[in-house]
Amino acid sequence: MKLITKENKIDLKSFIAKNFNISKSKAKNIIDGRQVFINNKRAWIASYVLNKGDIVEIMDFNEKKEINEINI
């Protein structure tokens, strides 16, 4: 899944949490799983600051699965 940042100066963890409506700790788990790419480069630092226009891609992300795990 690819997303383009529309805000300036937002950290990666907050961006993922906001766009997928999940907690920041769950967003950090996704980042720590090294499945996140920013502008086609792997990202693993949750506090990385995104700029407007950056392309964030999450590989093998199943939004439904993540939401179900939160509700358990």
Side-chain angles (χ1 to χ4, degrees):
M1 169 169 285
K2 288 185 181 182
L3 297 169
I4 299 175
T5 57
K6 295 180 182 177
E7 298 176 51
N8 203 14
K9 308 291 184 194
I10 184 171
D11 66 273
L12 181 59
K13 176 176 59 176
S14 297
F15 177 79
I16 291 173
K18 179 179 177 181
N19 282 282
F20 291 102
N21 197 28
I22 59 176
S23 69
K24 287 185 180 181
S25 63
K26 184 55 87 174
K28 184 170 180 344
N29 288 340
I30 293 169
I31 296 164
D32 289 345
R34 298 191 182 247
Q35 297 297 310
V36 179
F37 292 80
I38 301 170
N39 300 326
N40 293 321
K41 294 183 181 179
R42 189 177 305 272
W44 59 88
I45 300 172
S47 61
Y48 178 86
V49 178
L50 297 167
N51 291 302
K52 188 174 184 177
D54 282 344
I55 299 171
V56 177
E57 184 173 9
I58 303 174
M59 305 302 291
D60 299 327
F61 181 75
N62 183 337
E63 187 175 357
K64 187 173 182 179
K65 178 181 175 191
E66 294 294 333
I67 291 171
N68 286 340
E69 288 176 5
I70 293 170
N71 292 332
I72 294 176

